Amino acid sequence: MYETTYHRPASIDEAAALFAKHPDAKYLAGGHTLIPVMKQRLAAPSDVIDLARIKDMIGIEATADALIIKAATTYYDITQSAAAKKAIPAIVHLTSVLGDPAVRYRGTIGGSIANNDPAADYPAAVLALNATIKTNKREIKGDDFFQGLFSTALEDNEIITSVSFPIPAKAGYAKMRHPASRFALTAVFVAQSKSGEVRVAATGASQSGVMRVPAIEAALKANWSAGALDGVNISADGLMGDIHGSAEYRANLIKVMAQRAVEAAS
Amino acid sequence: MGVEGIGARVARKEDKRFITGRGRYVDDVKVIGLTHAHFIRSPHAHAKVKGIDASAAKDMPGVVDVLTAQQLVDDKIGNLICGWAVSSKDGTPMKMGAWPAMAPDTVRFVGQAVAVVIAETKNQAKDAAEAVVVEYEELPAVSSMTTALAKSAPQLHPEAPGNVVYDWAIGDEKQTNDAFSKAANVVSLDLTNNRLVPNAMEPRAAVAEYDEAEEHFTLHTTSQNPHVARLVLSAFYNVAQEHKLRVIAPDVGGGFGSKIFIYPEEMVALWASKKVRRPVKWTGDRTEAFLTDAHGRDHMSHAEMAFDANNRILGLRVKTHANFGAYMSLFSSSVPTYLYATLLSGQYNIPTIYAEVMGVYTNTTPVDAYRGAGRPEASYLVERLMETSARQLKVDPAELRRINFVTQFPHQTPVIMAYDIGDFGASLDAALKAIDYSGFPARKAKAKAAGKLRGLGFSCYIEACGIAPSKAVGSLGAGVGLWESAEVRVNPVGTIEVLTGSHSHGQGHETTFAQLVAGRLGISVDQVQIVHGDTDKVQFGMGTYGSRSAAVGMSAIFKAMEKVEAKAKKIAAHLLEASEGDIVIENGEFKVAGTDKAIALPMVALAAYTAHNLPDGMEPGLKEGAFYDPTNFTFPAGAYICEVEIDPGTGKTDIVDFVAVDDFGRLINPMIVEGQVHGGLAQGIGQAMLESAVYDDNGQPVTASFMDYAMPRADDVPSFRVSHTTTLCPGNPLGVKGCGEAGAIGSSPAVINAITDALGHNKIEMPATPGRVWEALQLRQAAE
């Protein structure tokens, strides 16, 4: 690791001010991506600004319409939240199969979404539930947020402060774990909104990161059941193929995981 | 035997320090003036080194020196050696390409070192390494055996035309061909034994100190065999003289074979400590472990088995290609030959065998012994072939094995090994009973109703442990003897130190070896201290690998104990005014049999050291040493049955049951034996379902981190059901056979046999990942 200066701001404004002062700074949340790449000397931020201890960025609340999770809330806290369990159990399930206990104690929802790893779990939930990402500057709809591998609508100095998930009529998540990394080899989040809209997002499968799956959405809109997907054919075009699974295998997994997510949906 | 003697489930003495973080590993060693080494490694699989410019790096903060490969050459430091000479079938010796510890002119695998930076801190060394300019001229690389053997393939070593190490054979070719010509049925199979990365929890490390006044070196290193390290470093590498080099292997966090070998980094650290006149530490990181620890396995084989009309085996024909990687590692030559082909008879009466093995160089990390070392490759081949044969011949796989089992002992196989004892039918019967074999069809039907594919697979493995006797291995080309040494010191107060040439890096020797001594004397294991891993403390020994420490190492202790007890009995008889022949040892006392006359061990010991009242002519003291050289290998064997369920939607395989019945001879500590079996099974299951070291066509490793190299986790393995049958080994005084590798040797074929049973066809290779199983299921559906 190269030398760096660590900052622990007490507020979002202080964090943003620090970032403005240090042009080669990086924000740090759970650190599961940033710290390893720094240790491998692949990243060399002059300053590291730790967001994970800003009190205003931690907490979970549910309203009648939305589950709002502040960005620096850890996965562990989400799995333990009664409010989250009641509002959107699929989010809690997703979090419970994310990483391992050590990861869940440290990782944060805002860090995961801002990083937009193509095999991360939360982007699927954000996209399928059409969540709203709140930052220190604006609100961004889930549809507009993810822009390909490790790329988002966030500007350099923009901090995610919370994520607001509309409470759906039904939602489910099913994940096939990568044998080595335990990220999603392919995972699918299915959601039916209270107004009857069906949105389905797959992560881990596409070469361009998290994606909607229109063929499955159409079939589930017509008939919300796992069996409705039996005849659906998912194209392997544009999907990832590697030593852990061909593009055809991932195409199959999109369908099978969608079916299992529908079966698990509540 | 007391409650802490042989056979007792004594809790591991060493675990207190391990689980409370008080182990002392090489990286924990701190010495005054310590510097830190960081190696500059080739990013290319094959390239000429045109030049190294370290001038800028040498001026950077904290840099002590930058040492290059050329300086090793200038100092006449020897190339790495291979300690087992194997000749091709035409009689020519193996073709060994020179392997300098750092490459002065040509690099042949990604990660090979070309220079080393020595600095005040590790970070400064890494900073400076980025300023060292190495000019490479890339050469075409061969990353697979197929491309390496192709006509006009790029050549790795001028010494090895065609990239061939050797073309070796064992057995009688004509007799075997004759057997095949008479066969009623011939079953053939092509299989790949995937390359594995050992991944010990502790990476390799070295701390080297040079005492200028004494011209003496001390090397702390992660070694399974510190005396062998000292011997090789002094006799072959010209780094230090043997009597001026102390090698210490303190607590070592796992080896699995990978820490047998003397690697470039440890040797360079030693050399550098004299060069810079400062102590030098190198601790490898996980990436370096992936790139430079000797890998395991990596075979491609074609095998054929001939049967008569009664399904009795007539012969076995095998052709194997073994990937050596870029260089011949220390014992690499023996692994795919004498540790592999000699086990191809399995548990079976096979009248004739002919096996050819071609060793092949590729631009990949060198390959050497890894848990099982050749024997997993043999059992995988034999047991896949038996299962395939049973299916083709339409015989129950248990029955096919049973009618071909060796039942008379000793049994001379056609491939050198002479099995001393065993009862293969007993293990198989116990395994069948444990798994409820007759209930399998019902379980399969139930799984089918739930949309799952259930399969059951067998593995009746045999292996050879001990790696001995010296005379035998010497005749086969080994450069060392394979005995073991021990010294038993009874202190003046009656406590005992045992100095052993074996080395514990997870096996639990500090407990099991103490159990042997405690049991014989009727004292507590707490009264016994096991000393190992330091060439200044312990007499020359051969170290730990090949499941040899109980069969060979403990037998040496047994012999030394007999000598100690004989002398102690003489002293006790003298003090008790009794006849030596009447003295018995019970509960820590020397008693006159049939009387109440007794003297406690501490009093005997004290008498030996005060020497005030010893029998006439007796030397003072109570300390005896022994060297033990066995008469044969030992032959652990067993029957494993694996039952799997495949989810056809995802291809994910769950091991729903795994039964392991092993015959290890006498068990010293059943709890430790079970732990060894559990770990071995996890590694074998890892090979079968998860692990694979993959290179791309340019020789770049694709799986150089845990993000892509899948290690088995707790939830990948079932709750094992482990039990034992017992035939006592006649070849050593304890009747033990060894248990360290069996799990890794026997389990992979059981898993794949279960998966192919569930699939209904044989077209899958290890690791059977969900993706591969799903693809194999599509093949089946296409066929239907």
Side-chain angles (χ1 to χ4, degrees):
Chain A
M1 192 183 284
Y2 299 104
E3 272 194 14
T4 189
T5 305
Y6 172 85
H7 304 272
R8 189 185 290 173
S11 71
I12 296 165
D13 288 346
E14 189 190 339
L18 278 166
F19 196 96
K21 211 167 116 188
H22 302 287
D24 291 328
K26 282 272 186 201
Y27 289 124
L28 174 75
H32 286 124
T33 301
L34 181 61
I35 300 293
V37 296
M38 286 175 71
K39 286 170 83 169
Q40 291 170 311
R41 299 184 155 230
L42 298 172
S46 63
D47 297 77
V48 170
I49 303 164
D50 190 350
L51 304 175
R53 306 191 192 230
I54 297 174
K55 287 200 174 62
D56 285 348
M57 286 183 61
I58 299 168
I60 299 169
E61 72 175 285
T63 67
D65 300 322
L67 172 67
I68 300 149
I69 305 176
K70 292 185 177 174
T73 309
T74 63
Y75 305 144
Y76 175 78
D77 284 344
I78 295 168
T79 62
Q80 300 305 304
S81 163
K85 274 179 204 165
K86 184 155 177 279
I88 313 180
I91 293 273
V92 175
H93 168 67
L94 173 151
T95 313
S96 73
V97 295
L98 195 170
D100 52 35
V103 166
R104 292 194 288 273
Y105 275 117
R106 180 59 77 170
T108 70
I109 186 169
S112 169
I113 290 169
N115 188 47
N116 191 21
D117 187 297
D121 296 271
Y122 280 117
V126 168
L127 202 54
L129 292 167
N130 198 16
T132 300
I133 315 288
K134 291 186 182 166
T135 76
N136 57 338
K137 297 186 171 176
R138 57 182 167 149
E139 294 190 354
I140 310 170
K141 296 299 285 180
D143 280 341
D144 303 324
F145 186 80
F146 301 109
Q147 299 183 344
L149 306 183
F150 299 103
S151 175
T152 69
L154 289 174
E155 292 163 13
D156 256 4
N157 59 348
E158 196 169 7
I159 300 169
I160 299 177
T161 55
S162 70
V163 187
S164 175
F165 295 98
I167 295 175
K170 288 174 185 169
Y173 184 66
K175 176 179 184 178
M176 183 67 189
R177 288 174 154 197
H178 185 291
S181 71
R182 297 283 176 110
F183 273 76
L185 191 59
T186 287
V188 174
F189 200 103
V190 299
Q192 185 183 57
S193 75
K194 286 177 176 170
S195 63
E197 188 194 4
V198 173
R199 292 169 65 107
V200 174
T203 185
S206 166
Q207 291 171 3
S208 355
V210 65
M211 65 176 209
R212 299 268 298 271
V213 194
I216 289 177
E217 290 178 352
L220 290 178
K221 174 88 179 162
N223 174 9
W224 179 270
S225 73
L229 304 181
D230 283 345
V232 173
N233 209 3
I234 305 292
S235 165
D237 290 348
L239 300 187
M240 285 192 277
D242 55 31
I243 59 167
H244 302 289
S246 62
E248 291 72 23
Y249 176 58
R250 283 184 165 89
N252 166 72
L253 283 180
I254 290 175
K255 180 165 113 179
V256 172
M257 289 299 114
Q259 289 178 311
R260 292 182 188 181
V262 168
E263 282 166 356
S266 57
Chain B
M1 307 282 167
V3 292
E4 293 184 337
I6 285 175
R9 306 175 78 92
V10 178
R12 294 180 11 140
K13 293 172 71 178
E14 48 268 74
D15 281 354
K16 186 174 177 185
R17 72 176 188 275
F18 292 153
I19 64 178
T20 58
R22 282 162 172 83
R24 183 175 156 87
Y25 299 88
V26 173
D27 191 57
D28 296 322
V29 173
K30 308 277 191 295
V31 291
I32 291 166
L34 190 61
T35 65
H36 298 265
H38 181 72
F39 284 87
I40 295 164
R41 299 182 181 282
S42 170
H44 306 296
H46 199 187
K48 288 239 176 268
V49 182
K50 305 295 283 184
I52 300 177
D53 181 359
S55 51
K58 284 184 180 176
D59 291 337
M60 288 182 62
V63 173
V64 176
D65 205 348
V66 180
L67 303 173
T68 64
Q70 188 56 44
Q71 287 169 280
L72 273 178
V73 177
D74 295 344
D75 283 1
K76 299 186 170 51
I77 301 301
N79 291 330
L80 276 74
I81 61 157
C82 180
W84 199 307
V86 174
S87 295
S88 290
K89 50 194 173 194
D90 66 5
T92 56
M94 61 192 189
K95 309 288 191 293
M96 191 171 167
W99 185 7
M102 297 194 291
D105 46 34
T106 307
V107 286
R108 295 183 177 85
F109 66 96
V110 172
Q112 188 172 6
V114 295
V116 63
V117 181
I118 314 289
E120 300 291 342
T121 71
K122 183 81 175 175
N123 241 352
Q124 287 173 331
K126 285 185 177 181
D127 287 343
E130 290 176 3
V132 175
V133 181
V134 185
E135 191 192 337
Y136 294 101
E137 178 190 323
E138 272 193 81
L139 297 170
V142 286
S143 59
S144 75
M145 290 193 279
T146 310
T147 53
L149 292 174
K151 276 183 188 147
S152 72
Q155 300 290 297
L156 269 78
H157 298 285
E159 301 90 339
N163 296 320
V164 173
V165 178
Y166 50 54
D167 184 6
W168 177 88
I170 192 170
D172 189 323
E173 182 176 21
K174 184 177 177 304
Q175 195 183 337
T176 306
N177 289 341
D178 289 349
F180 273 80
S181 67
K182 289 182 209 133
N185 290 293
V186 172
V187 177
S188 67
L189 187 63
D190 288 291
L191 27 75
T192 302
N193 205 291
N194 42 324
R195 177 185 282 236
L196 304 177
V197 181
N199 279 320
M201 198 180 291
E202 181 203 21
R204 287 190 291 117
V207 174
E209 299 166 72
Y210 178 64
D211 180 331
E212 203 174 339
E214 298 291 330
E215 296 179 345
H216 182 278
F217 291 87
T218 302
L219 177 67
H220 283 82
T221 186
T222 47
S223 175
Q224 299 179 213
N225 41 358
H227 281 96
V228 177
R230 185 177 70 158
L231 172 65
V232 172
L233 285 164
S234 57
F236 297 99
Y237 298 159
N238 193 32
V239 185
Q241 290 179 282
E242 194 169 14
H243 66 302
K244 294 283 191 184
L245 170 60
R246 176 185 187 186
V247 176
I248 302 168
D251 285 332
V252 173
F256 312 109
S258 72
K259 291 171 181 167
I260 297 171
F261 324 118
I262 322 310
Y263 289 90
E265 290 83 0
E266 291 85 327
M267 191 226 276
V268 168
L270 197 62
W271 167 72
S273 71
K274 183 174 177 184
K275 221 59 195 158
V276 303
R277 312 266 159 171
R278 296 269 300 273
V280 174
K281 175 185 279 189
W282 170 75
T283 301
D285 63 22
R286 187 56 63 185
T287 304
E288 290 179 299
F290 270 101
L291 295 179
T292 66
D293 287 4
H295 291 177
R297 321 280 192 258
D298 207 344
H299 285 192
M300 283 165 49
S301 294
H302 177 74
E304 299 167 286
M305 199 171 254
F307 291 88
D308 72 9
N310 298 318
N311 297 325
R312 289 187 184 277
I313 303 168
L314 294 174
L316 172 66
R317 214 158 40 192
V318 175
K319 192 164 179 60
T320 291
H321 287 93
N323 195 341
F324 274 66
Y327 297 98
M328 294 185 75
S329 177
L330 190 63
F331 288 111
S332 57
S333 52
S334 64
V335 176
T337 50
Y338 294 109
L339 298 178
Y340 161 70
T342 54
L343 273 304
L344 286 171
S345 195
Q347 297 189 351
Y348 312 109
N349 260 309
I350 305 183
T352 178
I353 295 174
Y354 184 63
E356 296 168 278
V357 179
M358 183 176 280
V360 182
Y361 285 115
T362 59
N363 292 111
T364 61
T365 298
V367 176
D368 207 325
Y370 167 63
R371 201 171 191 171
R375 292 153 287 159
E377 295 91 315
S379 78
Y380 184 66
L381 184 141
V382 172
E383 289 306 295
R384 285 282 316 273
L385 199 48
M386 288 304 281
E387 203 89 353
T388 304
S389 300
R391 291 171 195 165
Q392 283 190 23
L393 300 172
K394 305 208 180 318
V395 193
D396 180 273
E399 186 57 23
L400 182 67
R401 287 176 169 87
R402 204 186 304 277
I403 60 179
N404 285 290
F405 274 156
V406 172
T407 53
Q408 302 294 314
F409 297 91
H411 172 81
Q412 179 62 53
T413 72
V415 279
I416 297 178
M417 292 299 177
Y419 300 160
D420 51 3
I421 200 164
D423 187 344
F424 307 142
S427 303
L428 180 59
D429 287 344
L432 289 169
K433 190 169 175 220
I435 202 89
D436 179 20
Y437 187 50
S438 59
F440 176 70
R443 296 195 295 277
K444 190 177 174 83
K446 196 175 165 196
K448 193 176 178 187
K452 299 284 180 69
L453 301 166
R454 203 162 174 120
L456 182 144
F458 292 84
S459 168
C460 293
Y461 78 91
I462 187 163
E463 56 141 336
C465 288
I467 319 284
S470 301
K471 191 173 172 184
V473 297
S475 73
L476 301 177
V480 288
L482 286 168
W483 41 265
E484 196 46 271
S485 71
E487 184 175 299
V488 175
R489 295 180 182 166
V490 182
N491 294 322
V493 292
T495 57
I496 294 173
E497 287 159 354
V498 177
L499 289 78
T500 171
S502 299
H503 182 271
S504 189
H505 34 279
Q507 291 86 347
H509 295 171
E510 290 171 39
T511 307
T512 50
F513 289 9
Q515 284 180 254
L516 166 63
V517 175
R520 290 185 69 91
L521 298 176
I523 60 176
S524 161
V525 291
D526 294 335
Q527 299 289 99
V528 185
Q529 189 75 16
I530 306 300
V531 181
H532 66 97
D534 184 342
T535 59
D536 261 15
K537 290 183 182 169
V538 181
Q539 68 290 339
F540 199 98
M542 295 309 300
T544 288
Y545 37 84
S547 307
R548 66 194 307 274
S549 297
V552 191
M554 281 182 83
S555 293
I557 299 171
F558 180 99
K559 272 188 73 180
M561 279 298 293
E562 284 190 323
K563 294 184 192 176
V564 163
E565 289 164 21
K567 182 170 181 183
K569 280 181 180 175
K570 282 195 174 77
I571 298 169
H574 176 73
L575 296 174
L576 294 169
E577 295 176 342
S579 162
E580 188 189 328
D582 291 338
I583 303 290
V584 293
I585 306 173
E586 281 174 16
N587 299 323
E589 289 184 325
F590 292 77
K591 292 182 173 168
V592 182
T595 75
D596 58 359
K597 284 169 70 175
I599 182 168
L601 169 64
M603 299 312 294
V604 176
L606 192 62
Y609 287 96
T610 57
H612 297 162
N613 184 14
L614 289 177
D616 285 344
M618 180 182 275
E619 289 179 11
L622 193 51
K623 172 193 97 153
E624 299 289 346
F627 287 77
Y628 178 75
D629 201 347
T631 54
N632 193 356
F633 285 80
T634 66
F635 297 95
Y640 291 175
I641 303 178
C642 176
E643 205 166 310
V644 300
E645 240 177 51
I646 295 172
D647 174 348
T650 61
K652 186 168 190 304
T653 303
D654 281 326
I655 297 178
V656 289
D657 204 354
F658 198 107
V659 165
V661 180
D662 294 292
D663 180 354
F664 297 138
R666 194 185 307 285
L667 307 185
I668 307 297
N669 181 325
M671 182 193 71
I672 287 179
V673 170
E674 286 161 13
Q676 288 285 325
V677 174
H678 286 189
L681 293 175
Q683 277 175 303
I685 288 169
Q687 168 161 35
M689 296 174 64
L690 294 156
E691 299 182 48
S692 188
V694 178
Y695 288 85
D696 73 10
D697 291 344
N698 299 317
Q700 289 292 330
V702 176
T703 51
S705 85
F706 290 133
M707 291 297 280
D708 286 299
Y709 188 92
M711 291 291 281
R713 292 168 163 91
D715 65 346
D716 290 316
V717 297
S719 187
F720 302 115
R721 295 199 288 137
V722 173
S723 63
H724 302 95
T725 56
T726 303
T727 56
L728 294 179
C729 178
N732 61 65
L734 294 162
V736 299
K737 299 183 184 181
C739 67
E741 297 161 292
I745 289 166
S747 55
S748 305
V751 174
I752 298 298
N753 286 338
I755 290 173
T756 55
D757 183 43
L759 287 172
H761 69 72
N762 230 353
K763 292 190 182 60
I764 192 154
E765 297 286 2
M766 299 192 290
T769 60
R772 283 185 173 177
V773 171
W774 183 81
E775 305 280 355
L777 280 166
Q778 308 317 301
L779 280 180
R780 174 168 113 151
Q781 280 167 5
E784 282 168 358

